[in-house]
């Protein structure tokens, strides 16, 4: 539909901001000639990029917050100062995490859902990395947990603990109230207690 519309315009156009790479299917790519003939013109297919003259859709983090970051990056020149920084780094700095880790034996972090997206810089991953650097054990609690989420944190030696006690919908989980979270806390406490006991007694496990 986009191609048909552009080709119907009386211009000799060249795509300067396109829909995708040249080898992609059914997209108008940068450098492609379009139009029905006439006055030479540059064609920008994204209104925001076209209006600001910036190409930000491939910038790291541009898709964050539903694309809000992309829009702000396009408007970068309109701000006195604009810097894109990972949210987790800002949160950890504001919370003084480095100082707190220096005095901690264990850190417990969490997400509403620990899944494949965790590998792309969610809070649990950021905290786990800092804990690993500080030599502090880390437990990650997830309202829901998937195998991909566990795999994302495994290289950092993180113990992942789910809050959900059975397969259920989001609505069912919310209706369950605080009980599952409290029981999850109890399981974590027993796990830590067991670890302390084993360390003190020097016990070994047989498998």
């Amino acid at each position: 539909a986009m191609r048909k519309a552009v080709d119907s315009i009386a211009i000799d156009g060249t795509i300067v901001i396109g829909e995708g790479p040249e080898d992609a299917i059914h997209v108008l790519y940068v450098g492609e000639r379009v139009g029905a003939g006439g006055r030479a013109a540059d064609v920008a297919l994204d209104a925001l990029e076209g209006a600001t003259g910036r190409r930000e859709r491939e910038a790291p983090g541009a898709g964050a917050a539903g694309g809000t970051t992309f829009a702000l990056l396009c408007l970068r020149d309109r701000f006195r100062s604009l810097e894109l920084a990972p949210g987790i780094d800002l949160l950890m700095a504001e919370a003084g995490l480095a100082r707190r880790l220096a005095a901690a034996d264990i850190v417990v972090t969490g997400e509403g859902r620990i899944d494949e997206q965790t590998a792309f810089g969610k809070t649990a991953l950021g905290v786990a990395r800092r804990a690993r650097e500080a030599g502090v054990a880390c437990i990650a609690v997830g309202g829901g947990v998937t195998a991909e989420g566990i795999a994302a944190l495994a290289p950092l030696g993180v113990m992942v603990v789910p809050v959900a006690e059975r397969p259920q919908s989001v609505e069912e989980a919310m209706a369950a109230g605080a009980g599952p979270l409290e029981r999850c806390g109890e399981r974590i406490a027993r796990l830590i207690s067991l670890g302390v006991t084993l360390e003190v007694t020097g016990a070994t496990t047989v498998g």
Side-chain angles (χ1 to χ4, degrees), residues 7 25 47 201 205:
D7 281 338
I25 300 175
T201 63
T205 58

Side-chain angles (χ1 to χ4, degrees), residues 109 111-114 139-146 150 159-168 179-188 191:
T109 185
E111 294 272 7
R113 182 175 171 84
I114 295 177
I139 294 175
V141 178
V145 173
T146 68
I150 295 173
M159 171 72 72
V160 179
V161 181
V163 173
E165 299 168 321
R166 61 179 177 81
Q168 57 188 173
L181 184 59
E182 293 171 352
R183 290 190 290 273
C184 177
E186 292 173 358
R187 293 196 298 273
I188 292 174
L191 181 66

Side-chain angles (χ1 to χ4, degrees), residues 102-198:
D105 295 312
I106 191 167
V107 59
V108 179
T109 185
E111 294 272 7
R113 182 175 171 84
I114 295 177
D115 55 21
E116 61 278 4
Q117 293 298 315
T118 299
F120 295 96
K122 291 175 70 175
T123 300
L125 181 66
V127 173
R129 282 174 172 166
R130 291 295 179 87
R132 179 67 173 267
E133 293 169 0
V136 179
C138 181
I139 294 175
V141 178
V145 173
T146 68
E148 292 81 6
I150 295 173
L153 295 173
L156 298 171
V158 178
M159 171 72 72
V160 179
V161 181
V163 173
E165 299 168 321
R166 61 179 177 81
Q168 57 188 173
S169 67
V170 173
E171 293 74 18
E172 289 175 320
M174 294 177 66
L181 184 59
E182 293 171 352
R183 290 190 290 273
C184 177
E186 292 173 358
R187 293 196 298 273
I188 292 174
R190 288 196 295 270
L191 181 66
I192 294 173
S193 177
L194 175 61
V196 171
T197 299
L198 292 175

Side-chain angles (χ1 to χ4, degrees), residues 90-100:
L90 297 176
L91 287 172
M92 290 189 294
E94 190 67 22
L97 183 62
R99 171 178 53 82
R100 295 174 184 275

Side-chain angles (χ1 to χ4, degrees), residues 28-130:
L28 291 162
Y29 57 86
V30 174
E32 184 173 359
R33 303 296 295 274
V34 295
R39 180 174 58 88
D42 290 338
V43 179
L45 297 177
D46 185 284
L48 189 54
E49 288 183 322
T52 60
R54 299 190 64 92
R55 176 74 174 176
E56 299 289 357
R57 65 178 60 220
E58 303 300 331
T68 301
T69 302
F70 162 73
L72 289 172
L73 288 174
C74 285
L75 298 171
R76 185 194 297 266
D77 296 337
R78 273 63 172 180
F79 292 92
R80 176 173 297 179
S81 176
L82 175 67
E83 179 183 356
L84 179 63
I88 181 58
D89 290 345
L90 297 176
L91 287 172
M92 290 189 294
E94 190 67 22
L97 183 62
R99 171 178 53 82
R100 295 174 184 275
L101 283 173
D105 295 312
I106 191 167
V107 59
V108 179
T109 185
E111 294 272 7
R113 182 175 171 84
I114 295 177
D115 55 21
E116 61 278 4
Q117 293 298 315
T118 299
F120 295 96
K122 291 175 70 175
T123 300
L125 181 66
V127 173
R129 282 174 172 166
R130 291 295 179 87

